[in-house]
Amino acid sequence: MLNNWAVVPTCLPLVRRRCRACASERFRANGKFRVNANHKLLDAWLLVLCTACGDTAKLTVLERMNVRSVRPELLDRMHDNDPGLAAEVLQDPVMRRRNRIALDWDDAWRLDTGGSDHLGREVIDVAVRFAARIPVRPVRVIAEGCGLSRAEVERLIADGKLVSPVRLGGKLSGDFTFMLKR
């Protein structure tokens, strides 16, 4: 029987970028946008606050875009400070590269295993789905879902009792499956 687990975001991730006021490297996005129009050109930023000093930084979302080329729904969502849009913007690799930022997903996600009925079985077949592109170590997900330590999971991999079509070392942000034989 295939078990379905989900890696689900619990809040917006921290933004890793150097603060110009205090040299901290963590910013919190609260979902607020700033939109500025200059004649027919539009600029939009996602505002982030330094976790140490509270200084505000702007992450460029739109730069010198013609007003007519911006979808009205997108503009409405920015004016409404839609937190879902903030999550979408932070997930955009082009925006992250343009603003020279990285995301810190520590403590910003949870694992939903759908219950603990799988813990007593001899063979567990699991499909892990990601609700957002959250880079996480598969070993950590498996350890948390099965109630094991990461060292035990590493030992099971080495013994061939934990197998997967994907490489379980490093980080993944996409769906994967694995089978655990106890």
Side-chain angles (χ1 to χ4, degrees), residues 12-182:
L12 292 175
L14 291 177
V15 174
R16 297 189 63 202
R17 172 184 171 166
R18 191 165 183 82
C19 178
R20 61 180 162 77
C22 73
S24 169
E25 293 197 5
R26 302 261 191 272
F27 284 83
R28 182 167 310 285
N30 57 4
K32 301 248 189 258
F33 289 89
R34 166 112 195 272
V35 180
N36 185 34
N38 185 2
H39 300 286
K40 292 181 182 180
L41 299 179
L42 195 70
D43 292 308
W45 302 275
L46 175 63
L47 302 179
V48 292
L49 303 172
C50 177
T51 57
C53 70
D55 191 45
T56 302
K58 298 186 296 187
L59 303 178
T60 303
V61 178
L62 301 175
E63 189 170 37
R64 297 288 176 215
M65 294 283 295
N66 190 308
V67 174
R68 292 182 188 268
S69 67
V70 178
R71 293 186 333 268
E73 313 86 55
L74 177 64
L75 204 50
D76 288 342
R77 290 177 73 190
M78 283 187 203
H79 285 300
D80 293 339
N81 291 319
D82 182 0
L85 179 60
E88 290 173 29
V89 165
L90 288 172
Q91 290 284 314
D92 182 14
V94 174
M95 194 282 303
R96 288 197 316 259
R97 198 170 29 257
R98 178 186 327 147
N99 288 283
R100 295 184 188 97
I101 63 168
L103 300 180
D104 182 357
W105 282 98
D106 290 346
D107 303 324
W109 63 274
R110 68 178 169 77
L111 179 64
D112 182 11
T113 61
S116 60
D117 61 330
H118 63 278
L119 293 177
R121 295 195 197 135
E122 281 295 312
V123 177
I124 304 170
D125 199 11
V126 178
V128 180
R129 306 282 176 240
F130 285 77
R133 295 192 58 76
I134 302 170
V136 65
R137 295 184 187 286
V139 170
R140 181 175 176 194
V141 172
I142 295 167
E144 191 172 315
C146 294
L148 303 169
S149 71
R150 283 191 257 176
E152 288 175 288
V153 172
E154 295 282 356
R155 184 182 47 77
L156 289 168
I157 292 170
D159 293 346
K161 294 183 178 182
L162 178 60
V163 293
S164 175
V166 299
R167 191 173 149 266
L168 296 175
K171 290 187 176 183
L172 286 176
S173 58
D175 301 346
F176 68 97
T177 59
F178 69 91
M179 181 184 293
L180 172 64
K181 300 172 191 169
R182 295 184 193 246

